[in-house]
Amino acid sequence: MGSIRSQWRNILARVLLPSACKNRSSMNIPHPATPIPPVHPDVLMKSLPFYDVLDVLIKPSSLGASTAQRFNQEKYFIFALTPQQVREVCISRDFLPGGRRDYMVQIQLRFCLSETSCPQEDNYPNGLCIKVNGKLFPLPGFAPPPKNGVEQKRPGRPLNITSLVRLSSAVPNQISVTWAPEIGKTYSMSVYLVRQLTSPLLLQRLRMKGIRNPDHSRALRTVHMNKPIVLCDVFQCNLYACSK
C-alpha cells in the first residue's frame, strides 16, 4: 500500500506542480501599463497673426493617455486672474448693439496634439465638449468633409471664452473638458491672455517686414491651394504668410 501511495504522489506532483508554478509565475509578472503622458508636455503652439500673447494662464496640459475606451473622458482645469489682468480685460471692453460685449484683451482657450517635434496648429479632439464655470461653451460648426465617407471635423481655431470667465481676482475659474479618446493620439489644452491686434497695427507690422520676392508668394499660394480650404482660415494663412 505504501508503494502505491508513493507512486500516486509522484504522478500528482508531475501533473499539478508545473501548472501551479506556471500560474504563480504569471501572477508575479507585471502587465505592461499604458504609458502616462506628462502633465505638462513640452508643446509649442503656433503663433497667431491677429493676437499678441500677454500671459500664459494655463500652460499646455495633457488631457490624458490615448485609450481604446468607448466612453468619453472628462478633466477639470483651474486658473485665476491677477488684479492687473482683470483690469486689462475690463478696460478693453466694448459694448456692441444688442447688449453684446466685445473685448480686445481676451482669455483664449486652445487645443492641439501633444506633439513636441514642431509648433502645433489648433486641433480639437473628437467629441469635444467645453464648460466654463458650469456654462456650456458653443463650439464652431463642422467643416464640409473633403470627400464622401470621411468623418466631419471641426476646423481647429482658438476659442474666446472671455464672456464666461469671472473677471475677478478673488474667484478662480474652472474649465471642464469632455472628449472621446482616440487610439494613438493625445491632446493638450492651454489658456492664454491675448490682445487682439487692430488693422492699423497689422498694416504697420506688414510694412516693417518689407516686400518679398513675388516667386515666394506664388510658392506659398500653390502650397495653400493644395490644402482643404476653410474660408475663415484662408485670410489667416495669407496674413500669417505675409507677416512672417
Side-chain angles (χ1 to χ4, degrees):
M1 289 291 293
S3 61
I4 295 176
R5 287 178 180 175
S6 62
Q7 289 177 3
W8 274 109
R9 288 196 193 97
N10 293 335
I11 293 172
L12 290 174
R14 290 195 213 102
V15 174
L16 297 179
L17 281 179
S19 60
C21 294
K22 184 178 180 181
N23 291 337
R24 189 176 301 166
S25 61
S26 64
M27 291 174 62
N28 294 332
I29 296 176
H31 296 285
T34 304
I36 300 175
V39 177
H40 296 292
D42 191 18
V43 173
L44 181 63
M45 297 290 301
K46 277 193 173 181
S47 59
L48 299 172
F50 297 131
Y51 302 92
D52 279 345
V53 176
L54 304 179
D55 215 338
V56 179
L57 302 178
I58 299 179
K59 60 184 179 179
S61 304
S62 176
L63 292 184
S66 56
T67 64
Q69 295 181 4
R70 296 182 180 179
F71 303 103
N72 288 357
Q73 296 186 8
E74 186 175 18
K75 196 166 184 179
Y76 293 89
F77 300 89
I78 302 290
F79 72 94
L81 299 174
T82 65
Q84 177 63 26
Q85 292 168 345
V86 172
R87 192 177 306 112
E88 289 186 3
V89 176
C90 290
I91 63 177
S92 74
R93 180 169 51 194
D94 186 21
F95 290 95
L96 303 176
R100 294 183 297 113
R101 291 172 296 178
D102 192 20
Y103 297 88
M104 294 298 292
V105 176
Q106 304 171 359
I107 291 91
Q108 200 174 76
L109 172 63
R110 302 184 71 180
F111 292 88
C112 71
L113 287 170
S114 294
E115 296 287 344
T116 58
S117 57
C118 61
Q120 294 298 303
E121 296 180 344
D122 292 86
N123 197 336
Y124 303 148
N126 287 340
L128 180 63
C129 179
I130 302 169
K131 289 183 180 180
V132 181
N133 296 320
K135 296 181 180 179
L136 187 66
F137 181 82
L139 295 173
F142 288 94
K147 53 186 176 180
N148 294 334
V150 177
E151 184 181 359
Q152 282 188 310
K153 193 170 180 66
R154 301 180 192 274
R157 61 173 181 254
L159 303 171
N160 179 12
I161 62 173
T162 313
S163 61
L164 299 181
V165 170
R166 300 186 182 107
L167 297 179
S168 170
S169 59
V171 185
N173 293 275
Q174 183 189 77
I175 300 176
S176 165
V177 179
T178 306
W179 77 100
E182 301 175 61
I183 298 177
K185 288 185 179 181
T186 305
Y187 290 85
S188 295
M189 66 82 69
S190 48
V191 180
Y192 304 90
L193 183 71
V194 301
R195 185 187 303 278
Q196 188 174 14
L197 301 179
T198 60
S199 300
L201 183 56
L202 287 169
L203 289 173
Q204 180 185 357
R205 291 187 179 182
L206 286 175
R207 292 192 183 102
M208 291 174 63
K209 293 290 182 180
I211 301 175
R212 274 188 167 178
N213 190 302
D215 292 336
H216 183 82
S217 299
R218 293 191 191 99
L220 283 175
R221 183 176 60 192
T222 302
V223 170
H224 289 301
M225 289 297 290
N226 292 331
K227 293 181 179 179
I229 296 176
V230 178
L231 187 59
C232 63
D233 292 339
V234 172
F235 300 104
Q236 181 173 338
C237 290
N238 290 341
L239 183 57
Y240 179 72
C242 294
S243 61
K244 291 298 283 182

